[in-house]
Amino acid sequence: MNWDRIEGNWKQFTGNLKSQWGKLTDDDLTEINGNREILEGKLQERYGYAKDEVKRQVDTWSTNIRTM
């Protein structure tokens, strides 16, 4: 899915995001607010992933989600 659509409909995707990455808090999701770079940074912080691993996982997640 196009990241602009995710960003524009962020609240619709937060439940799906939390099921994928449960260590993200509601405060994290509010701070991210659809910004991919902040999401990737939070995933690195919470999970200790390398930057290339985070990009791969976010790409996979965004490709596999379905619109609500």
Side-chain angles (χ1 to χ4, degrees), residues 16-68:
N16 185 285
L17 197 75
K18 278 194 82 165
S19 68
Q20 177 74 27
W21 294 291
K23 290 184 182 178
L24 293 176
T25 66
D26 289 337
D27 288 341
D28 290 337
L29 296 174
T30 299
E31 184 180 343
I32 294 164
N33 196 32
N35 185 305
R36 183 182 172 128
E37 291 177 5
I38 297 173
L39 170 61
E40 290 177 1
K42 288 293 181 185
L43 292 174
Q44 285 181 289
E45 180 183 317
R46 296 281 184 246
Y47 289 90
Y49 295 147
K51 189 171 188 159
D52 58 336
E53 174 64 14
V54 168
K55 288 186 82 53
R56 186 190 65 75
Q57 285 197 23
V58 172
D59 285 344
T60 300
W61 174 80
S62 65
T63 300
N64 292 329
I65 60 172
R66 291 178 173 67
T67 57
M68 302 287 173

Side-chain angles (χ1 to χ4, degrees), residues 4-18:
D4 290 333
R5 286 188 65 191
I6 294 170
E7 190 173 11
N9 297 298
W10 182 246
K11 289 190 187 281
Q12 293 178 346
F13 297 110
T14 56
N16 185 285
L17 197 75
K18 278 194 82 165

